[in-house]
């Protein structure tokens, strides 16, 4: 059964009144402080020390907030430390010039519009049950191949009803290609079921994982250790390059080419949208604020601007964290890292602390620090993206931009498109994602007015094209950097106008975020947005290391490196981490999670 909301109507109203959260809005409590913006200071650090936390969590993505919320609700003293100025990780939103933009959550599947959905129950259990969901238009996605369709309306549409998607797609293909489409859709649920053993093994203690876990994982082997391209060709008999290109249109959702990505990742991401797409009412920050408030109400503490220098390891066991700002050490019996495997093992731990960690894993983490999207190194950083934020003087819908995401490609051969682009950045963008959070969020007009709209355009780039400026301060990288940004801004705008020509002439604000912006705001090193690349090595070869329990007693992992790309994957990773830390706590939440 759906759980009763944890947050009262009064508390929820206070939160939603502050969703445009740069300044308190008129009429709200003057002493109200957003729970996801409590800064690290002498006062709050003293509170953290006095509380004597049971668990310290580094980073505040949804994996962290899930772990903290579920533990705090059962009496655990939780301390969460975030290097940025607001908690939430990829749930982060920002307001500029009277517009709000999201940065990491663009839509959610899993049928969260229904309170009976298991995924919706998980979100409610973590965030207090007050966050509502807006349904995207149907289709929720459109694959726009500019090399084939002059009119975007003739593009390939993906509906929440996969039966309809399959029928409409087949109508545009030959009979032989139609059979291949059926083979693909018929494989999705089967693949997801086969991943169950892999997930269970990730929660096991090390000794059990390397014995019993090997048996449990056997059904997962055939879908996790094979590439998307090979599985589609050799198992599903998809030989049409057009069908292959159409059915891998959303490879940008996990950021790796079909020729090197794990098939299971592609299948679970694709299957996630069965039932359609949804967006949090009030924007993605509503989820972060809800989770932080639940933690606060249960005696926990979330501190921002609190960068951790290192995880303290004594006698081979993780026992605390040291702060970068003042060197203060906070101690706890359990330390959880939600900052990714690369940051955890290479930045927060000393070389002598990781001697028991698989040496080949550590070696591969250190390989090729450029973070190229086309890199096949197993533990390379995932792709880097450009983010163009656009403010409009009219609602997006009035300018022909629906609550539907457009995936724009020049042709169906994604590998060829990418290869051309990596060889020459003057080539056409290999893929662009266009979406409007103002069109998706039913509260946007109430919060920002009738004549406002916002759009985001995303596209992949090579990190090395920006690397020379990585040591410079934000907003102080010089004229050459501004010229480079203008070049990319023009390319992204060209793609936007190609798909939505009515937008031209209505742009009142625009700003480009580069991979260096990701470094600053997400605490990454190569502009990566999905953690580790979703290769076979990440998903299968090194699955033992990328599990909840680490080889360092007292240290646990959570977040998307534990699972796969995406906010909902991070949510599930948090649930898994809770189960590894305390089975009684997880058991006490089961009735609210499934």
């Amino acid at each position: 059964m759906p759980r009763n909301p944890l947050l009262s109507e009064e508390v929820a109203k206070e939160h939603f009144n502050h969703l445009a959260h740069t300044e308190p809005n008129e009429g709200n409590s003057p002493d109200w402080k957003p729970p996801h913006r409590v800064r690290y200071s002498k006062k709050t650090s003293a509170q953290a020390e006095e509380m004597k936390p049971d668990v310290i969590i580094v980073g505040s993505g949804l994996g962290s907030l899930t772990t903290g919320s579920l533990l705090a609700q059962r009496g655990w003293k939780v301390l969460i430390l975030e290097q940025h100025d607001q908690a939430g990780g990829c749930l982060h939103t920002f307001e500029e010039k009277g517009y709000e933009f999201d940065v990491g959550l663009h839509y959610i599947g899993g049928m969260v519009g229904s309170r009976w959905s298991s995924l919706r129950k998980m979100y409610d259990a973590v965030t207090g049950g007050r966050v509502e969901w807006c349904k995207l238009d149907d289709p929720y996605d459109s694959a726009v191949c500019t090399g084939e369709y002059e009119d975007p309306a003739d593009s390939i549409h993906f509906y929440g009803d996969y039966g309809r998607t399959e029928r409409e797609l087949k109508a545009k293909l030959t009979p032989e290609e139609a059979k291949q489409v059926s083979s693909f859709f018929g494989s999705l649920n089967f693949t997801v079921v086969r991943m169950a053993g892999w997930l269970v093994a990730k929660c096991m203690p090390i000794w059990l994982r390397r014995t019993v876990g090997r048996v449990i994982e056997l059904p997962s082997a055939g879908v996790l250790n094979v590439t998307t391209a090979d599985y589609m060709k050799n198992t599903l008999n998809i030989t049409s390059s057009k069908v292959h290109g159409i059915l891998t249109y959303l490879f940008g959702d996990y950021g790796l080419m079909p020729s090197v990505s794990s098939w299971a990742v592609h299948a679970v991401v694709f299957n996630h949208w069965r039932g359609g797409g949804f967006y949090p009412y009030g924007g993605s920050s509503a989820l972060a604020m809800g989770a932080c408030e639940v933690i606060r109400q249960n005696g926990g503490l979330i501190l921002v601007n609190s960068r951790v220098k290192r995880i303290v390891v004594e006698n081979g066991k993780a026992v605390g964290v040291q702060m970068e700002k003042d060197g203060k050490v906070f101690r706890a019996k359990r330390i959880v890292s939600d900052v990714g495997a690369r940051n955890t093992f290479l930045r927060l731990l000393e070389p002598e602390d990781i001697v028991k960690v698989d040496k080949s894993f550590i070696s591969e983490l250190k390989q090729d620090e450029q973070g190229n999207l086309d890199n096949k190194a197993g533990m390379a950083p995932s792709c880097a993206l450009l983010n163009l934020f656009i403010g409009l003087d009219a609602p997006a819908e009035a300018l022909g931009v629906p609550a539907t995401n457009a995936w724009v490609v020049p042709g169906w051969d994604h590998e060829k498109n990418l290869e051309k682009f990596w060889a020459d950045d003057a080539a056409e963008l290999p893929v662009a994602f266009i979406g409007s959070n103002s069109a998706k969020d039913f509260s946007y007009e109430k919060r920002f007015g009738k004549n406002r709209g916002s759009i985001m355009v995303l596209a992949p780039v090579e990190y090395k094209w920006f690397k020379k400026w990585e040591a410079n301060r934000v907003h102080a990288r010089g004229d050459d950097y501004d010229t480079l940004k203008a070049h990319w801004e023009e390319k992204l705008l060209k793609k936007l106008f190609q798909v939505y020509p009515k937008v031209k002439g209505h742009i009142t604000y625009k700003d480009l975020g580069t991979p260096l912006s990701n470094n600053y705001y997400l605490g990454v090193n190569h502009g990566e947005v999905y953690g580790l690349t979703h290769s076979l090595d990440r998903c299968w070869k090194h699955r033992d290391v990328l599990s909840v329990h680490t080889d360092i007693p007292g240290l646990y992992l959570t977040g998307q490196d534990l699972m796969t790309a995406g906010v909902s994957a991070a949510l599930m990773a948090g649930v898994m981490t809770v189960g590894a830390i305390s089975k009684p706590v997880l058991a006490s939440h089961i009735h609210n999670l499934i």
Side-chain angles (χ1 to χ4, degrees):
M1 297 229 359
R3 70 182 294 155
N4 292 325
L6 291 174
L7 301 183
S8 68
E9 288 188 23
E10 182 179 352
V11 169
K13 182 179 180 181
E14 189 81 74
H15 276 58
F16 282 101
N17 284 342
H18 286 83
L19 279 172
H21 45 66
T22 53
E23 295 290 340
N25 292 333
E26 185 179 351
N28 293 323
S29 304
D31 59 346
W32 186 86
K33 293 182 179 179
H36 66 321
R37 283 182 173 268
V38 179
R39 296 172 66 90
Y40 184 84
S41 65
K42 288 184 178 180
K43 180 180 178 180
T44 55
S45 67
Q47 291 174 346
E49 199 168 25
E50 184 180 347
M51 76 182 293
K52 296 180 180 179
D54 297 309
V55 58
I56 297 173
I57 307 176
V58 185
S60 67
L62 189 54
S64 163
L65 296 181
T66 298
T67 303
S69 177
L70 297 182
L71 289 174
Q73 289 175 50
R74 295 300 180 262
W76 286 55
K77 298 175 183 177
V78 175
L79 173 62
I80 297 178
L81 302 169
E82 166 58 44
Q83 60 94 28
H84 189 31
D85 63 6
Q86 66 173 280
C90 287
L91 299 178
H92 171 89
T93 59
F94 70 94
E95 186 187 353
E96 193 68 45
K97 305 297 183 183
Y99 298 98
E100 183 181 78
F101 302 96
D102 56 39
V103 299
L105 189 162
H106 309 305
Y107 59 151
I108 294 290
M111 294 181 278
V112 293
S114 167
R115 287 194 177 274
W116 295 94
S117 156
S118 293
L119 190 61
R120 169 64 176 272
K121 290 179 184 178
M122 290 185 196
Y123 277 106
D124 284 351
V126 170
T127 64
R130 288 289 177 183
V131 178
E132 295 296 335
W133 295 86
C134 312
K135 195 171 192 307
L136 271 63
D137 290 343
D138 218 12
Y140 58 88
D141 272 354
S142 288
V144 183
C145 179
T146 56
E148 183 167 347
Y149 303 108
E150 292 184 5
D151 183 354
D154 293 331
S155 300
I156 305 297
H157 303 304
F158 294 85
Y159 303 89
D161 177 358
Y162 274 15
R164 179 182 177 184
T165 300
E166 186 176 344
R167 288 192 300 273
E168 289 198 7
L169 179 53
K170 286 179 178 179
K172 296 187 175 186
L173 301 170
T174 67
E176 180 57 36
E177 289 174 330
K179 291 180 183 178
Q180 296 174 28
V181 170
S182 295
S183 177
F184 177 87
F185 279 96
S187 70
L188 296 177
N189 282 330
F190 178 65
T191 297
V192 173
V193 169
R194 289 183 64 178
M195 292 179 68
W198 178 72
L199 296 175
V200 171
K202 278 181 172 288
C203 302
M204 291 179 171
I206 294 171
W207 66 271
L208 193 61
R209 189 172 66 230
R210 291 170 177 166
T211 53
V212 177
R214 289 290 182 267
V215 178
I216 294 175
E217 291 173 326
L218 286 176
S220 305
V223 295
L224 277 157
N225 64 352
V226 61
T227 69
T228 302
D230 285 346
Y231 192 91
M232 290 177 68
K233 179 180 179 181
N234 300 327
T235 303
L236 302 182
N237 296 315
I238 297 176
T239 56
S240 165
S241 59
K242 181 176 180 178
V243 173
H244 183 279
I246 290 172
L247 297 177
T248 56
Y249 80 97
L250 48 54
F251 74 93
D253 263 339
Y254 51 85
L256 192 64
M257 296 182 294
S259 62
V260 288
S261 65
S262 169
W263 157 252
V265 172
H266 182 80
V268 74
V269 169
F270 199 106
N271 205 48
H272 178 65
W273 309 112
R274 192 184 296 270
F278 298 84
Y279 192 82
Y281 182 91
S284 54
S285 280
L287 296 171
M289 292 174 74
C292 288
E293 179 61 17
V294 170
I295 294 169
R296 187 197 66 77
Q297 286 187 173
N298 287 278
L301 190 59
I302 306 102
L303 299 180
V304 302
N305 294 113
S306 56
R307 188 176 180 87
V308 171
K309 181 178 181 180
R310 69 185 181 97
I311 294 171
V312 179
V313 177
E314 296 176 356
N315 299 318
K317 183 177 181 180
V319 297
V321 299
Q322 183 181 32
M323 305 306 295
E324 186 172 276
K325 184 176 182 179
D326 55 14
K328 182 172 285 190
V329 173
F330 299 109
R331 291 180 173 269
K333 290 183 178 179
R334 297 167 184 82
I335 310 299
V336 178
S337 176
D338 187 29
V339 296
R342 187 174 302 279
N343 275 332
T344 301
F345 292 106
L346 299 187
R347 185 176 73 80
L348 295 181
L349 292 166
E350 301 293 341
E352 59 268 26
D353 298 332
I354 57 176
V355 292
K356 292 184 179 179
V357 181
D358 188 315
K359 289 181 174 55
S360 66
F361 172 80
I362 297 299
S363 176
E364 288 188 44
L365 272 187
K366 294 178 179 179
Q367 286 179 12
D368 191 11
E369 293 289 273
Q370 295 299 315
N372 301 336
L373 180 61
D374 62 343
N375 192 300
K376 298 183 181 181
M379 293 292 107
S382 61
C383 68
L385 296 176
L386 293 171
N387 302 259
L388 181 60
F389 304 102
I390 295 171
L392 306 171
D393 63 5
E397 304 94 311
L399 301 176
V401 184
T404 296
N405 302 306
W407 292 85
V408 190
V409 296
W412 293 124
D413 190 335
H414 307 308
E415 311 278 339
K416 184 177 179 180
N417 298 336
L418 285 160
E419 288 171 4
K420 285 182 178 179
F421 187 61
W422 300 144
D424 181 5
D425 65 9
E428 193 167 358
L429 292 170
V431 60
F433 173 93
I434 304 173
S436 168
N437 62 303
S438 67
K440 299 170 190 174
D441 181 4
F442 300 164
S443 78
Y444 201 92
E445 180 179 314
K446 296 178 183 178
R447 295 189 290 131
F448 297 100
K450 291 184 177 181
N451 297 317
R452 294 272 171 171
S454 55
I455 294 175
M456 173 187 276
V457 186
L458 304 175
V461 285
E462 293 262 42
Y463 180 72
K464 64 184 180 184
W465 297 339
F466 301 85
K467 185 176 175 63
K468 64 181 288 187
W469 292 279
E470 67 182 359
N472 298 41
R473 291 185 298 108
V474 177
H475 306 306
R477 296 189 173 116
D479 293 339
D480 288 348
Y481 182 71
D482 291 338
T483 299
L484 180 66
K485 286 183 64 174
H487 161 74
W488 289 110
E489 184 179 288
E490 183 180 353
K491 288 179 75 74
L492 293 173
L493 284 173
K494 180 180 178 182
K495 193 62 63 175
L496 172 65
F497 297 150
Q498 186 176 16
V499 180
Y500 299 119
K502 292 181 181 178
V503 169
K504 199 167 186 177
H506 291 275
I507 295 176
T508 57
Y509 169 82
K510 59 181 184 295
D511 185 42
L512 183 72
T514 72
L516 301 184
S517 308
N518 296 334
N519 284 356
Y520 179 77
Y521 292 111
L522 297 180
V524 296
N525 300 304
H526 308 97
E528 64 267 37
V529 294
Y530 297 127
L532 296 172
T533 189
H534 286 74
S535 64
L536 304 189
D537 282 1
R538 176 249 171 94
C539 295
W540 189 251
K541 179 181 175 182
H542 294 302
R543 64 194 184 282
D544 286 346
V545 184
L546 296 172
S547 295
V548 181
H549 294 272
T550 70
D551 290 290
I552 302 167
L555 177 61
Y556 303 82
L557 299 181
T558 196
Q560 65 179 9
D561 275 357
L562 179 61
M563 282 281 289
T564 63
V567 172
S568 293
L571 174 82
M572 296 183 68
V575 173
M576 292 163 64
T577 305
V578 170
I581 290 175
S582 173
K583 290 178 176 58
V585 169
L586 182 61
S588 72
H589 283 289
I590 286 297
H591 66 292
N592 289 320
L593 296 175
I594 59 175

